[in-house]
Amino acid sequence: MLQSETIEQTAPTIAGGRVLEYQPFDCDNHYYEAADAFTRHVPKAMQPRCVQWCEIEGRRYHVVGGKVSHAVANPTWNPIAKPGALYDYFRGNVSDRSPAEMLRDREPLPAEYHDRDARVARLDEQGIRSVWLFPTLGVLYEELLKHDIEAVKTQFRAFNRWVDEDWGCNYRDRIYAAPYISLCDVDFAIEELEWALDRDARTIVLRPAAVWTALGPRSPGDELFDPFWSRVNEAGVTVVIHAGDSGYSSQGYAEDGFGGNIGSGKPKPSIKSFAIERAAQDWLMTLTLERMFERFPNLRIASIENGSTFLPDLFRKLRSQAAKSPGWFTEDPTESFREHVWINPFWEDDVHEVVDHMGPDRVIFGSDWPHIEGLPNPLDYVGELDRFDDDATRKILLENTVGLNERRPV
């Protein structure tokens, strides 16, 4: 029997000009993958179809499914740009500097980016109670392998074993690393889910994208996947959709392909910047339109690092579709969405607007630490909540994620 989590009182934390009588729970932290994260548990015969290393002109790159990936400039991570290096850029770039200039200050790879005990010590310094921990590269490679179902299954089963060995699905009730699950084969997905549940995983992470199967692409709400969703519903584990490579096309308006590289000079604005939010909106709307929350009423979905500015349009479309399809929904789809979905906005989003749409019970704090587009220090976010009372602030910073972190089996 799972025990309800308690929220211990701690010494006051001062952040953003406020005194917090608790330590926040950060729902969006990341590791930088070890050199053998994608290779340690892949059988030798399958390695050419999965992820390998190569060296080109003195630099190391990943080869994914036989093709060199340039998703990041340096997948060895050493040296690494500092957390929040692009803070000013995402705040509106009032300093008028190029991102390339902002990224010049680099440092040797800190231990807390790849060692869990060092990370716990860092959480203590930051005043953070616990974190959900997600991949950096791991959310990018299913798209590159999706046409080879066996490679997807082999790679991510191996990757999850590395995650558990190096980080742990639950390490000391401080670090909760999420296993990455692909629905490419429903039996495989259920096997990985059971493995994750056995290791006390509190979340599982999927990419917000249509599912590529042996039968072709399918909606995540397709009845083909009902056995998986039924087990998720029964186990009461939170499903996270996290930003990554969802395979979205710019339809010729911009160069396609996911990349985190920042070139020299000032970047050119393009619609490609909105691909992450488009992917999240489509995924979340599809689950609602396909009545997944009516079919599986114990589902809890957390949208992490996908932004939030799509919410007004999503609610308009849900109301429109409900009006055009009398009798399809047995529940108001907008209220169903608010009941089953939690939103982690980008830190630069207007969180007050998000609360207006979702309510303070459905918004969760995440810093994206230690990524360059995240916050320099996680508790820098407290200043964004200055217009909320103590009760709403506590929900956003702590209680909502603590609730999601507790498995609630049927």
Side-chain angles (χ1 to χ4, degrees):
M1 175 70 70
L2 291 172
Q3 301 297 316
S4 297
E5 296 197 22
T6 58
I7 301 176
E8 305 87 355
Q9 295 296 318
T10 63
T13 299
I14 300 176
R18 302 179 74 159
V19 177
L20 307 177
E21 300 292 339
Y22 52 87
Q23 291 184 326
F25 193 133
D26 192 332
C27 78
D28 187 30
N29 262 219
H30 290 268
Y31 47 74
Y32 286 107
E33 288 89 349
D36 65 346
F38 296 98
T39 59
R40 185 185 298 173
H41 294 289
V42 175
K44 186 175 182 180
M46 283 295 294
Q47 289 176 2
R49 293 166 62 181
C50 296
V51 177
Q52 297 176 293
W53 283 100
C54 73
E55 185 171 315
I56 302 174
E57 296 180 349
R59 297 181 69 95
R60 298 188 76 199
Y61 296 92
H62 274 145
V63 179
V64 185
K67 295 183 179 180
V68 177
S69 170
H70 295 277
V72 298
N74 180 15
T76 71
W77 311 121
N78 200 11
I80 190 76
K82 294 181 178 179
L86 295 179
Y87 177 88
D88 287 344
Y89 174 77
F90 283 99
R91 182 57 85 187
N93 201 12
V94 293
S95 63
D96 197 32
R97 293 189 299 152
S98 72
E101 182 181 354
M102 296 176 184
L103 293 173
R104 285 176 188 156
D105 186 15
R106 297 176 179 263
E107 62 182 344
L109 185 69
E112 60 264 31
Y113 294 2
H114 57 86
D115 179 86
R116 60 189 183 181
D117 289 311
R119 187 59 158 262
V120 169
R122 187 72 166 129
L123 296 181
D124 291 339
E125 294 173 6
Q126 293 172 330
I128 296 295
R129 166 193 162 141
S130 302
V131 294
W132 284 350
L133 200 64
F134 299 108
T136 296
L137 289 175
V139 292
L140 306 182
Y141 288 168
E142 183 178 359
E143 173 62 22
L144 303 182
L145 294 172
K146 67 183 182 183
H147 296 291
D148 186 345
I149 302 300
E150 287 304 313
V152 172
K153 292 160 58 176
T154 300
Q155 183 61 81
F156 286 101
R157 174 164 282 158
F159 181 74
N160 287 336
R161 302 317 179 263
W162 169 81
V163 169
D164 189 43
E165 287 180 357
D166 277 29
W167 292 99
C169 296
N170 176 357
Y171 186 63
R172 295 170 54 183
D173 291 320
R174 302 294 301 281
I175 295 174
Y176 300 94
Y180 183 99
I181 293 184
S182 170
L183 294 177
C184 64
D185 178 310
V186 68
D187 292 333
F188 163 78
I190 293 171
E191 290 171 4
E192 285 300 284
L193 174 61
E194 296 293 355
W195 174 88
L197 295 174
D198 286 345
R199 281 150 186 80
D200 198 24
R202 304 305 179 89
T203 65
I204 56 172
V205 60
L206 288 68
R207 67 176 187 145
V211 183
W212 284 77
T213 73
L215 303 174
R218 291 288 187 273
S219 160
D222 192 294
E223 291 181 1
L224 173 68
F225 307 117
D226 278 7
F228 171 81
W229 291 116
S230 179
R231 185 66 184 105
V232 169
N233 185 80
E234 179 184 46
V237 64
T238 296
V239 175
V240 169
I241 56 164
H242 192 286
D245 189 348
S246 294
Y248 267 51
S249 168
S250 299
Q251 301 295 335
Y253 291 105
E255 182 182 355
D256 279 333
F258 190 97
N261 298 329
I262 302 292
S264 59
K266 295 183 178 179
K268 175 184 175 182
S270 79
I271 65 167
K272 184 177 180 180
S273 303
F274 302 100
I276 285 175
E277 293 210 22
R278 284 171 51 207
Q281 174 175 336
D282 289 354
W283 198 93
L284 293 168
M285 187 179 298
T286 294
L287 256 64
T288 310
L289 293 176
E290 297 189 1
R291 301 183 302 190
M292 289 289 285
F293 305 131
E294 296 179 28
R295 293 156 56 194
F296 304 104
N298 199 37
L299 283 188
R300 292 181 297 168
I301 308 292
S303 175
I304 306 292
E305 203 183 331
N306 292 304
S308 60
T309 59
F310 60 84
L311 286 172
D313 186 50
L314 179 144
F315 284 123
R316 280 193 297 269
K317 286 183 167 66
L318 288 180
R319 287 191 291 267
S320 173
Q321 290 298 307
K324 293 173 181 176
S325 308
W328 176 252
F329 297 102
T330 60
E331 304 172 359
D332 180 339
T334 61
E335 292 307 312
S336 182
F337 182 93
R338 290 188 180 97
E339 180 182 352
H340 293 274
V341 177
W342 282 254
I343 298 292
N344 158 235
F346 292 140
W347 63 261
E348 68 268 25
D349 286 347
D350 183 350
V351 65
H352 303 89
E353 181 181 82
V354 184
V355 169
D356 287 343
H357 287 291
M358 297 296 298
D361 296 326
R362 293 298 184 267
V363 179
I364 51 180
F365 147 67
S367 67
D368 195 28
W369 199 87
H371 282 175
I372 57 176
E373 69 273 22
L375 290 166
N377 298 288
L379 292 190
D380 291 345
Y381 192 70
V382 177
E384 306 295 323
L385 307 176
D386 58 347
R387 286 160 41 199
F388 292 116
D389 62 22
D390 290 342
D391 182 60
T393 298
R394 184 183 175 97
K395 288 179 178 179
I396 294 169
L397 291 177
L398 177 63
E399 291 178 353
N400 295 341
T401 306
V402 167
L404 288 171
N405 198 55
E406 180 183 358
R407 295 219 313 251
R408 295 181 178 174
V410 173

PDB file of all heavy atoms in Angstrom, residues 68-95:
ATOM      1  N   VAL A  68      24.377  11.008 -38.555  1.00  0.00           N
ATOM      2  CA  VAL A  68      24.968  11.897 -37.556  1.00  0.00           C
ATOM      3  C   VAL A  68      23.920  12.902 -37.093  1.00  0.00           C
ATOM      4  O   VAL A  68      23.233  13.530 -37.897  1.00  0.00           O
ATOM      5  CB  VAL A  68      26.192  12.633 -38.134  1.00  0.00           C
ATOM      6  CG1 VAL A  68      26.758  13.605 -37.097  1.00  0.00           C
ATOM      7  CG2 VAL A  68      27.260  11.637 -38.570  1.00  0.00           C
ATOM      8  N   SER A  69      23.786  13.035 -35.781  1.00  0.00           N
ATOM      9  CA  SER A  69      22.854  13.997 -35.198  1.00  0.00           C
ATOM     10  C   SER A  69      23.599  15.265 -34.806  1.00  0.00           C
ATOM     11  O   SER A  69      24.649  15.197 -34.155  1.00  0.00           O
ATOM     12  CB  SER A  69      22.165  13.407 -33.970  1.00  0.00           C
ATOM     13  OG  SER A  69      21.429  14.407 -33.276  1.00  0.00           O
ATOM     14  N   HIS A  70      23.028  16.404 -35.191  1.00  0.00           N
ATOM     15  CA  HIS A  70      23.585  17.698 -34.800  1.00  0.00           C
ATOM     16  C   HIS A  70      22.601  18.446 -33.901  1.00  0.00           C
ATOM     17  O   HIS A  70      22.561  19.673 -33.897  1.00  0.00           O
ATOM     18  CB  HIS A  70      23.914  18.532 -36.038  1.00  0.00           C
ATOM     19  CG  HIS A  70      25.000  17.941 -36.891  1.00  0.00           C
ATOM     20  ND1 HIS A  70      26.340  18.124 -36.614  1.00  0.00           N
ATOM     21  CD2 HIS A  70      24.941  17.154 -37.996  1.00  0.00           C
ATOM     22  CE1 HIS A  70      27.066  17.476 -37.527  1.00  0.00           C
ATOM     23  NE2 HIS A  70      26.234  16.885 -38.374  1.00  0.00           N
ATOM     24  N   ALA A  71      21.805  17.679 -33.154  1.00  0.00           N
ATOM     25  CA  ALA A  71      20.799  18.294 -32.293  1.00  0.00           C
ATOM     26  C   ALA A  71      21.430  19.231 -31.266  1.00  0.00           C
ATOM     27  O   ALA A  71      20.848  20.255 -30.904  1.00  0.00           O
ATOM     28  CB  ALA A  71      19.983  17.219 -31.597  1.00  0.00           C
ATOM     29  N   VAL A  72      22.606  18.876 -30.779  1.00  0.00           N
ATOM     30  CA  VAL A  72      23.366  19.764 -29.897  1.00  0.00           C
ATOM     31  C   VAL A  72      24.799  19.825 -30.418  1.00  0.00           C
ATOM     32  O   VAL A  72      25.271  18.905 -31.089  1.00  0.00           O
ATOM     33  CB  VAL A  72      23.352  19.301 -28.428  1.00  0.00           C
ATOM     34  CG1 VAL A  72      21.940  19.291 -27.884  1.00  0.00           C
ATOM     35  CG2 VAL A  72      23.987  17.938 -28.279  1.00  0.00           C
ATOM     36  N   ALA A  73      25.472  20.912 -30.093  1.00  0.00           N
ATOM     37  CA  ALA A  73      26.820  21.121 -30.630  1.00  0.00           C
ATOM     38  C   ALA A  73      27.837  20.180 -29.998  1.00  0.00           C
ATOM     39  O   ALA A  73      28.810  19.786 -30.640  1.00  0.00           O
ATOM     40  CB  ALA A  73      27.242  22.574 -30.409  1.00  0.00           C
ATOM     41  N   ASN A  74      27.628  19.824 -28.716  1.00  0.00           N
ATOM     42  CA  ASN A  74      28.621  19.026 -28.013  1.00  0.00           C
ATOM     43  C   ASN A  74      27.931  18.032 -27.082  1.00  0.00           C
ATOM     44  O   ASN A  74      27.702  18.315 -25.903  1.00  0.00           O
ATOM     45  CB  ASN A  74      29.557  19.927 -27.204  1.00  0.00           C
ATOM     46  CG  ASN A  74      30.612  19.134 -26.455  1.00  0.00           C
ATOM     47  OD1 ASN A  74      30.842  17.962 -26.733  1.00  0.00           O
ATOM     48  ND2 ASN A  74      31.250  19.775 -25.486  1.00  0.00           N
ATOM     49  N   PRO A  75      27.571  16.836 -27.585  1.00  0.00           N
ATOM     50  CA  PRO A  75      26.881  15.856 -26.737  1.00  0.00           C
ATOM     51  C   PRO A  75      27.755  15.228 -25.660  1.00  0.00           C
ATOM     52  O   PRO A  75      27.261  14.411 -24.877  1.00  0.00           O
ATOM     53  CB  PRO A  75      26.389  14.812 -27.734  1.00  0.00           C
ATOM     54  CG  PRO A  75      27.322  14.931 -28.903  1.00  0.00           C
ATOM     55  CD  PRO A  75      27.710  16.379 -28.975  1.00  0.00           C
ATOM     56  N   THR A  76      29.060  15.596 -25.589  1.00  0.00           N
ATOM     57  CA  THR A  76      29.878  15.161 -24.453  1.00  0.00           C
ATOM     58  C   THR A  76      29.639  16.063 -23.248  1.00  0.00           C
ATOM     59  O   THR A  76      30.044  15.729 -22.128  1.00  0.00           O
ATOM     60  CB  THR A  76      31.376  15.192 -24.796  1.00  0.00           C
ATOM     61  OG1 THR A  76      31.825  16.558 -24.904  1.00  0.00           O
ATOM     62  CG2 THR A  76      31.669  14.451 -26.092  1.00  0.00           C
ATOM     63  N   TRP A  77      29.072  17.254 -23.501  1.00  0.00           N
ATOM     64  CA  TRP A  77      28.689  18.229 -22.465  1.00  0.00           C
ATOM     65  C   TRP A  77      29.873  18.886 -21.758  1.00  0.00           C
ATOM     66  O   TRP A  77      29.650  19.622 -20.783  1.00  0.00           O
ATOM     67  CB  TRP A  77      27.793  17.587 -21.402  1.00  0.00           C
ATOM     68  CG  TRP A  77      26.648  16.804 -21.918  1.00  0.00           C
ATOM     69  CD1 TRP A  77      26.386  15.488 -21.699  1.00  0.00           C
ATOM     70  CD2 TRP A  77      25.571  17.264 -22.749  1.00  0.00           C
ATOM     71  NE1 TRP A  77      25.238  15.090 -22.328  1.00  0.00           N
ATOM     72  CE2 TRP A  77      24.712  16.177 -22.985  1.00  0.00           C
ATOM     73  CE3 TRP A  77      25.256  18.499 -23.323  1.00  0.00           C
ATOM     74  CZ2 TRP A  77      23.560  16.265 -23.746  1.00  0.00           C
ATOM     75  CZ3 TRP A  77      24.116  18.590 -24.088  1.00  0.00           C
ATOM     76  CH2 TRP A  77      23.280  17.494 -24.299  1.00  0.00           C
ATOM     77  N   ASN A  78      31.068  18.671 -22.223  1.00  0.00           N
ATOM     78  CA  ASN A  78      32.218  19.194 -21.498  1.00  0.00           C
ATOM     79  C   ASN A  78      33.172  19.917 -22.448  1.00  0.00           C
ATOM     80  O   ASN A  78      33.742  19.266 -23.334  1.00  0.00           O
ATOM     81  CB  ASN A  78      32.953  18.041 -20.799  1.00  0.00           C
ATOM     82  CG  ASN A  78      33.842  18.504 -19.669  1.00  0.00           C
ATOM     83  OD1 ASN A  78      33.788  19.656 -19.249  1.00  0.00           O
ATOM     84  ND2 ASN A  78      34.667  17.596 -19.172  1.00  0.00           N
ATOM     85  N   PRO A  79      33.279  21.260 -22.329  1.00  0.00           N
ATOM     86  CA  PRO A  79      32.674  22.137 -21.319  1.00  0.00           C
ATOM     87  C   PRO A  79      31.208  22.436 -21.641  1.00  0.00           C
ATOM     88  O   PRO A  79      30.740  22.149 -22.738  1.00  0.00           O
ATOM     89  CB  PRO A  79      33.536  23.400 -21.412  1.00  0.00           C
ATOM     90  CG  PRO A  79      33.953  23.441 -22.856  1.00  0.00           C
ATOM     91  CD  PRO A  79      34.165  21.999 -23.258  1.00  0.00           C
ATOM     92  N   ILE A  80      30.529  23.047 -20.674  1.00  0.00           N
ATOM     93  CA  ILE A  80      29.085  23.263 -20.778  1.00  0.00           C
ATOM     94  C   ILE A  80      28.750  24.718 -20.447  1.00  0.00           C
ATOM     95  O   ILE A  80      29.389  25.332 -19.588  1.00  0.00           O
ATOM     96  CB  ILE A  80      28.337  22.306 -19.824  1.00  0.00           C
ATOM     97  CG1 ILE A  80      26.844  22.326 -20.071  1.00  0.00           C
ATOM     98  CG2 ILE A  80      28.661  22.609 -18.368  1.00  0.00           C
ATOM     99  CD1 ILE A  80      26.407  21.577 -21.289  1.00  0.00           C
ATOM    100  N   ALA A  81      27.768  25.273 -21.157  1.00  0.00           N
ATOM    101  CA  ALA A  81      27.290  26.617 -20.823  1.00  0.00           C
ATOM    102  C   ALA A  81      26.560  26.581 -19.485  1.00  0.00           C
ATOM    103  O   ALA A  81      26.005  25.549 -19.090  1.00  0.00           O
ATOM    104  CB  ALA A  81      26.368  27.139 -21.918  1.00  0.00           C
ATOM    105  N   LYS A  82      26.552  27.690 -18.791  1.00  0.00           N
ATOM    106  CA  LYS A  82      26.016  27.727 -17.433  1.00  0.00           C
ATOM    107  C   LYS A  82      24.486  27.758 -17.437  1.00  0.00           C
ATOM    108  O   LYS A  82      23.854  28.184 -18.407  1.00  0.00           O
ATOM    109  CB  LYS A  82      26.584  28.939 -16.688  1.00  0.00           C
ATOM    110  CG  LYS A  82      28.087  28.847 -16.463  1.00  0.00           C
ATOM    111  CD  LYS A  82      28.621  30.037 -15.694  1.00  0.00           C
ATOM    112  CE  LYS A  82      30.127  29.888 -15.452  1.00  0.00           C
ATOM    113  NZ  LYS A  82      30.677  31.046 -14.723  1.00  0.00           N
ATOM    114  N   PRO A  83      23.876  27.295 -16.337  1.00  0.00           N
ATOM    115  CA  PRO A  83      22.410  27.328 -16.252  1.00  0.00           C
ATOM    116  C   PRO A  83      21.868  28.740 -16.472  1.00  0.00           C
ATOM    117  O   PRO A  83      22.405  29.712 -15.939  1.00  0.00           O
ATOM    118  CB  PRO A  83      22.133  26.855 -14.820  1.00  0.00           C
ATOM    119  CG  PRO A  83      23.329  26.068 -14.423  1.00  0.00           C
ATOM    120  CD  PRO A  83      24.486  26.723 -15.116  1.00  0.00           C
ATOM    121  N   GLY A  84      20.803  28.816 -17.253  1.00  0.00           N
ATOM    122  CA  GLY A  84      20.179  30.110 -17.480  1.00  0.00           C
ATOM    123  C   GLY A  84      21.002  31.072 -18.307  1.00  0.00           C
ATOM    124  O   GLY A  84      20.775  32.281 -18.266  1.00  0.00           O
ATOM    125  N   ALA A  85      21.953  30.553 -19.082  1.00  0.00           N
ATOM    126  CA  ALA A  85      22.816  31.442 -19.873  1.00  0.00           C
ATOM    127  C   ALA A  85      22.010  32.325 -20.819  1.00  0.00           C
ATOM    128  O   ALA A  85      22.432  33.433 -21.153  1.00  0.00           O
ATOM    129  CB  ALA A  85      23.835  30.612 -20.655  1.00  0.00           C
ATOM    130  N   LEU A  86      20.854  31.829 -21.253  1.00  0.00           N
ATOM    131  CA  LEU A  86      20.016  32.591 -22.181  1.00  0.00           C
ATOM    132  C   LEU A  86      18.857  33.289 -21.469  1.00  0.00           C
ATOM    133  O   LEU A  86      17.873  33.677 -22.111  1.00  0.00           O
ATOM    134  CB  LEU A  86      19.460  31.671 -23.271  1.00  0.00           C
ATOM    135  CG  LEU A  86      20.493  31.050 -24.206  1.00  0.00           C
ATOM    136  CD1 LEU A  86      19.808  30.134 -25.214  1.00  0.00           C
ATOM    137  CD2 LEU A  86      21.296  32.119 -24.937  1.00  0.00           C
ATOM    138  N   TYR A  87      18.971  33.489 -20.170  1.00  0.00           N
ATOM    139  CA  TYR A  87      17.891  34.115 -19.396  1.00  0.00           C
ATOM    140  C   TYR A  87      17.488  35.460 -19.977  1.00  0.00           C
ATOM    141  O   TYR A  87      16.305  35.730 -20.200  1.00  0.00           O
ATOM    142  CB  TYR A  87      18.325  34.258 -17.938  1.00  0.00           C
ATOM    143  CG  TYR A  87      17.314  34.950 -17.059  1.00  0.00           C
ATOM    144  CD1 TYR A  87      16.303  34.227 -16.423  1.00  0.00           C
ATOM    145  CD2 TYR A  87      17.366  36.331 -16.866  1.00  0.00           C
ATOM    146  CE1 TYR A  87      15.375  34.854 -15.621  1.00  0.00           C
ATOM    147  CE2 TYR A  87      16.427  36.974 -16.065  1.00  0.00           C
ATOM    148  CZ  TYR A  87      15.434  36.240 -15.443  1.00  0.00           C
ATOM    149  OH  TYR A  87      14.507  36.879 -14.662  1.00  0.00           O
ATOM    150  N   ASP A  88      18.463  36.327 -20.227  1.00  0.00           N
ATOM    151  CA  ASP A  88      18.145  37.656 -20.744  1.00  0.00           C
ATOM    152  C   ASP A  88      17.485  37.576 -22.114  1.00  0.00           C
ATOM    153  O   ASP A  88      16.589  38.367 -22.430  1.00  0.00           O
ATOM    154  CB  ASP A  88      19.412  38.516 -20.831  1.00  0.00           C
ATOM    155  CG  ASP A  88      19.904  38.964 -19.466  1.00  0.00           C
ATOM    156  OD1 ASP A  88      19.116  38.880 -18.503  1.00  0.00           O
ATOM    157  OD2 ASP A  88      21.068  39.379 -19.365  1.00  0.00           O
ATOM    158  N   TYR A  89      17.925  36.618 -22.929  1.00  0.00           N
ATOM    159  CA  TYR A  89      17.339  36.461 -24.262  1.00  0.00           C
ATOM    160  C   TYR A  89      15.859  36.108 -24.161  1.00  0.00           C
ATOM    161  O   TYR A  89      15.005  36.707 -24.827  1.00  0.00           O
ATOM    162  CB  TYR A  89      18.100  35.379 -25.022  1.00  0.00           C
ATOM    163  CG  TYR A  89      17.507  35.027 -26.365  1.00  0.00           C
ATOM    164  CD1 TYR A  89      17.681  35.858 -27.460  1.00  0.00           C
ATOM    165  CD2 TYR A  89      16.760  33.856 -26.522  1.00  0.00           C
ATOM    166  CE1 TYR A  89      17.130  35.539 -28.697  1.00  0.00           C
ATOM    167  CE2 TYR A  89      16.208  33.527 -27.742  1.00  0.00           C
ATOM    168  CZ  TYR A  89      16.392  34.375 -28.828  1.00  0.00           C
ATOM    169  OH  TYR A  89      15.830  34.058 -30.041  1.00  0.00           O
ATOM    170  N   PHE A  90      15.518  35.144 -23.300  1.00  0.00           N
ATOM    171  CA  PHE A  90      14.127  34.729 -23.183  1.00  0.00           C
ATOM    172  C   PHE A  90      13.287  35.732 -22.399  1.00  0.00           C
ATOM    173  O   PHE A  90      12.062  35.720 -22.504  1.00  0.00           O
ATOM    174  CB  PHE A  90      14.035  33.342 -22.551  1.00  0.00           C
ATOM    175  CG  PHE A  90      14.386  32.240 -23.514  1.00  0.00           C
ATOM    176  CD1 PHE A  90      15.644  31.666 -23.516  1.00  0.00           C
ATOM    177  CD2 PHE A  90      13.463  31.801 -24.448  1.00  0.00           C
ATOM    178  CE1 PHE A  90      15.973  30.662 -24.412  1.00  0.00           C
ATOM    179  CE2 PHE A  90      13.781  30.804 -25.352  1.00  0.00           C
ATOM    180  CZ  PHE A  90      15.038  30.230 -25.340  1.00  0.00           C
ATOM    181  N   ARG A  91      13.922  36.602 -21.653  1.00  0.00           N
ATOM    182  CA  ARG A  91      13.200  37.658 -20.950  1.00  0.00           C
ATOM    183  C   ARG A  91      12.826  38.791 -21.901  1.00  0.00           C
ATOM    184  O   ARG A  91      12.039  39.663 -21.562  1.00  0.00           O
ATOM    185  CB  ARG A  91      14.045  38.168 -19.784  1.00  0.00           C
ATOM    186  CG  ARG A  91      13.411  39.235 -18.938  1.00  0.00           C
ATOM    187  CD  ARG A  91      12.077  38.803 -18.358  1.00  0.00           C
ATOM    188  NE  ARG A  91      12.224  38.056 -17.134  1.00  0.00           N
ATOM    189  CZ  ARG A  91      11.209  37.465 -16.518  1.00  0.00           C
ATOM    190  NH1 ARG A  91      10.001  37.496 -17.032  1.00  0.00           N
ATOM    191  NH2 ARG A  91      11.395  36.787 -15.405  1.00  0.00           N
ATOM    192  N   GLY A  92      13.333  38.746 -23.126  1.00  0.00           N
ATOM    193  CA  GLY A  92      13.032  39.785 -24.099  1.00  0.00           C
ATOM    194  C   GLY A  92      14.267  40.423 -24.691  1.00  0.00           C
ATOM    195  O   GLY A  92      14.184  41.318 -25.523  1.00  0.00           O
ATOM    196  N   ASN A  93      15.438  39.948 -24.237  1.00  0.00           N
ATOM    197  CA  ASN A  93      16.727  40.405 -24.759  1.00  0.00           C
ATOM    198  C   ASN A  93      16.883  41.922 -24.677  1.00  0.00           C
ATOM    199  O   ASN A  93      17.221  42.586 -25.656  1.00  0.00           O
ATOM    200  CB  ASN A  93      16.931  39.926 -26.201  1.00  0.00           C
ATOM    201  CG  ASN A  93      18.403  39.915 -26.585  1.00  0.00           C
ATOM    202  OD1 ASN A  93      19.287  40.047 -25.734  1.00  0.00           O
ATOM    203  ND2 ASN A  93      18.677  39.760 -27.868  1.00  0.00           N
ATOM    204  N   VAL A  94      16.623  42.449 -23.484  1.00  0.00           N
ATOM    205  CA  VAL A  94      16.775  43.895 -23.291  1.00  0.00           C
ATOM    206  C   VAL A  94      18.234  44.318 -23.414  1.00  0.00           C
ATOM    207  O   VAL A  94      18.524  45.489 -23.667  1.00  0.00           O
ATOM    208  CB  VAL A  94      16.210  44.320 -21.920  1.00  0.00           C
ATOM    209  CG1 VAL A  94      14.701  44.124 -21.891  1.00  0.00           C
ATOM    210  CG2 VAL A  94      16.871  43.543 -20.781  1.00  0.00           C
ATOM    211  N   SER A  95      19.159  43.366 -23.243  1.00  0.00           N
ATOM    212  CA  SER A  95      20.582  43.696 -23.361  1.00  0.00           C
ATOM    213  C   SER A  95      21.039  43.751 -24.807  1.00  0.00           C
ATOM    214  O   SER A  95      22.153  44.198 -25.096  1.00  0.00           O
ATOM    215  CB  SER A  95      21.434  42.668 -22.600  1.00  0.00           C
ATOM    216  OG  SER A  95      21.273  41.374 -23.170  1.00  0.00           O
TER     217      SER A  95
END
